[in-house]
Amino acid sequence: MSKTPQAIRGTQDIFGADAEAFAFVVETFERVRKLYRFRRAEMPVFEKTEVFSRAIGETTDVVSKEMYSFDDRGGESLTLRPEFTAGIARAFLSNGWQQHAPVKLATHGPLFRYERPQKGRYRQFHQIDAEIIGAGEPQADVELLAMADHLLKELGIEGVTLHLNTLGDGDSREAWRAALVEHFREVKDELSEDSQERLEKNPLRILDSKDRRDQRFVADAPKIDDFLTDEAKAFFDAVTSGLDAAGVKWTRAESLVRGLDYYRHTAFEFIPDEGSEAAGKLGSQSTILGGGRYDGLMESLGGAPTPAVGWAAGIERLAMLVGAQEEKRVEIAVVVENSAREHDAIAAVSMLRRMGISTELFATGSPRKRYDKARKTDPGVLVSMDLREDGTARQNWVVTLPEITLQDEAFAAFTSRWDIPDDTY
RNA sequence: GCGAUCGUAGCUCAGUUGGUUAGAGCGCCGGUUUGUGGUACCGGAGGUCGCGGGUUCGAACCCCGUCGAUCGCCCCA
């Protein structure tokens, strides 16, 4: 006897009510994206490593230490996708999707990041994703965010707010970054160890440090607003006024920066409100949906300058907020009380299922306990098929939940073939 | 990568200061009762106590390592 292999760390097997919640998130996303006319796209789960390293940025945590990379048999370095955006951008360029631009794309599926697992964080996790490529107007940002907001409402998620910021255009962002480095460098010795490191690698991140030692200096740090060009400022104003017009509630988050290099202008996250029920369910993983504008990304992959904006949301995190969804009860349970009726029962369930009624057959195990077993599934209708003592067929039809779909049709179809005594219906 | 807590039947958990063949409930399988019924009773299968070392006359219990889970840091969805 060999040992049973274990699942890979950070992967999960999802079943039952949790799987239903997962499916509910995906189904709702599919429904909403069609309302907004986002088109479905499917991309490979792995790409050449450079697709991600060039697009996301070599110095980011994702690229520098979280990628699942390996050499294939031809010696080429490949990587399991850690996010959707880079792969979508590559697909856009390699397939000439410019011809469809501006194009609204939606996808969902598994992603891989080598991280320490914890609540709401896995090594193989799943996201839904929406992107608008080839649209440089603030209207695109507004539509994308309205869709995200709409989706959360359709999912019934409460207590989550859109946190919105602008990073300005490339020049604004660089000027701001330089000012921040200068500001924090003066007090470098008093910063936390983490932030001293961030000062070199990713100074913007110091702004949302949780360490008290850093927060003292964050308050009077240079503000992005002071570095915005007129164009960048007008862009952001157009986004916020558009959101107001669309009825999307938002809050300005001056210190919100996104980790990846490619973001420009709009950056946003949907975050549970402090102390809300949603915040409690998520633990320390607070962001459920995040994204922004990435006007520089296509060029980093060798394409023509192409404005784009997008977001992604963790399906597992959304599913946690949605809560476990009960699996639907079976509509009709058919019990074979006597093995001689097995073929009749098979005929009955196949007829009912073809009518579009969910049906379960109980014909195994002790005949005596089949009825009880069927009872426990709490069916809408319980049909038993038995033999009388004289050997003639006998069946009954017990309704426990009158409102199941197609009940009258099902009863009519059933009784056209098998008699049911009046006293059992 | 760092820190904390935790790993005993399929599931939820007991297991007294280290002391005989490791238990319960639920679930599963079978039987009896009931006999148009989600009942009750009886029985059964199922555990190398995560794994590997060590201490001890003796380890589920103490120590070390390892794997995994959970929670937090970092980072992110």
Side-chain angles (χ1 to χ4, degrees):
Chain A
M1 235 338 232
S2 56
K3 279 186 189 159
T4 305
Q6 291 182 315
I8 303 299
R9 176 168 211 191
T11 65
Q12 29 173 4
D13 303 307
I14 312 173
F15 176 72
D18 293 332
E20 294 298 325
F22 191 103
F24 174 66
V25 170
V26 174
E27 285 160 12
T28 305
F29 173 67
E30 276 295 295
R31 185 160 55 77
V32 171
R33 67 100 180 156
K34 285 174 191 165
L35 293 175
Y36 287 77
R37 304 287 295 168
F38 277 64
R39 303 165 74 176
R40 229 357 248 226
E42 298 291 339
M43 276 76 54
V45 169
F46 58 136
E47 297 272 359
K48 290 183 184 178
T49 296
E50 63 171 329
V51 169
F52 304 113
S53 58
R54 285 169 59 181
I56 300 171
E58 295 280 1
T59 62
T60 59
D61 280 17
V62 170
V63 170
S64 63
K65 51 190 194 194
E66 295 175 2
M67 293 206 302
Y68 273 98
S69 299
F70 61 97
D71 291 341
D72 74 0
R73 286 165 190 264
E76 182 148 50
S77 178
L78 306 180
T79 295
L80 264 34
R81 64 185 179 196
E83 61 144 44
F84 278 115
T85 306
I88 288 177
R90 192 235 85 221
F92 180 88
L93 295 172
S94 39
N95 296 302
W97 288 349
Q98 289 96 330
Q99 65 183 310
H100 304 298
V103 59
K104 296 187 276 191
L105 297 174
T107 193
H108 65 82
L111 302 164
F112 305 85
R113 253 124 87 164
Y114 191 89
E115 291 188 277
R116 189 78 177 263
Q118 59 181 270
K119 190 174 191 175
R121 177 203 284 175
Y122 306 94
R123 287 185 173 179
Q124 177 179 333
F125 59 106
H126 302 80
Q127 289 184 345
I128 51 180
D129 181 278
E131 316 274 347
I132 303 180
I133 304 177
E137 331 75 61
Q139 169 56 31
D141 305 46
V142 172
E143 181 172 8
L144 189 81
L145 281 164
M147 175 185 166
D149 186 68
H150 191 168
L151 171 67
L152 296 181
K153 287 193 168 59
E154 290 290 316
L155 289 170
I157 292 172
E158 313 254 323
V160 171
T161 302
L162 166 58
H163 291 238
L164 188 67
N165 196 21
T166 178
L167 304 173
D169 51 35
D171 291 342
S172 313
R173 182 176 155 145
E174 277 317 303
W176 181 41
R177 179 192 162 102
L180 282 173
V181 170
E182 192 180 340
H183 171 79
F184 287 118
R185 189 164 279 156
E186 282 174 22
V187 292
K188 180 173 180 182
D189 296 340
E190 296 175 69
L191 294 174
S192 67
E193 297 75 18
D194 283 335
S195 283
Q196 293 188 27
E197 206 168 308
R198 283 190 275 240
L199 190 53
E200 306 305 325
K201 287 172 57 181
N202 200 344
L204 305 196
R205 288 239 79 101
I206 299 174
L207 293 174
D208 53 13
S209 168
K210 289 169 190 163
D211 198 303
R212 287 184 166 280
R213 288 172 289 177
D214 301 330
Q215 286 168 348
R216 290 181 297 164
F217 304 109
V218 168
D220 61 340
K223 301 272 190 280
I224 178 65
D225 287 2
D226 298 329
F227 297 86
L228 292 179
T229 59
D230 288 347
E231 292 77 11
K233 190 172 184 328
F235 189 97
F236 190 59
D237 287 344
V239 172
T240 57
S241 59
L243 287 173
D244 292 339
V248 176
K249 291 210 179 83
W250 58 278
T251 182
R252 178 72 196 273
E254 282 187 324
S255 63
L256 188 154
V257 295
R258 305 273 313 155
L260 312 180
D261 282 0
Y262 51 61
Y263 287 110
R264 298 285 184 279
H265 288 293
T266 321
F268 53 85
E269 295 179 356
F270 282 79
I271 302 173
D273 303 335
E274 201 89 22
S276 68
E277 194 188 345
K281 285 180 186 167
L282 282 170
S284 65
Q285 262 54 245
S286 55
T287 304
I288 58 168
L289 184 153
R293 181 160 276 282
Y294 49 96
D295 290 351
L297 175 57
M298 291 296 173
E299 289 158 273
S300 72
L301 290 177
T306 308
V309 58
W311 57 250
I315 297 176
E316 288 88 348
R317 291 183 188 176
L318 290 170
M320 281 191 271
L321 297 184
V322 161
Q325 302 280 302
E326 288 307 306
E327 294 178 68
K328 279 195 179 157
R329 70 205 302 195
V330 61
E331 291 179 298
I332 299 183
V334 176
V335 182
V336 179
E337 304 246 26
N338 187 310
S339 300
R341 300 300 308 284
E342 193 173 309
H343 285 120
D344 276 339
I346 291 171
V349 299
S350 94
M351 175 186 80
L352 293 167
R353 286 166 177 163
R354 283 174 186 154
M355 292 177 71
I357 298 164
S358 71
T359 307
E360 188 96 66
L361 176 65
F362 294 86
T364 59
S366 163
R368 178 161 277 154
K369 289 184 175 158
R370 290 176 193 171
Y371 188 92
D372 289 346
K373 211 193 277 183
R375 260 296 197 188
K376 283 184 183 170
T377 65
D378 198 21
V381 171
L382 204 159
V383 178
S384 88
M385 307 189 84
D386 201 353
L387 286 184
R388 290 179 198 279
E389 286 188 7
D390 64 6
T392 59
R394 139 191 195 113
Q395 40 274 322
N396 69 355
W397 183 278
V398 180
V399 178
T400 58
L401 182 75
E403 61 271 20
I404 71 159
T405 57
L406 297 173
Q407 190 188 149
D408 293 339
E409 292 86 341
F411 185 70
F414 189 87
T415 51
S416 71
R417 218 166 143 179
W418 296 281
D419 291 334
I420 290 183
D422 291 343
D423 63 326
T424 66
Y425 178 44

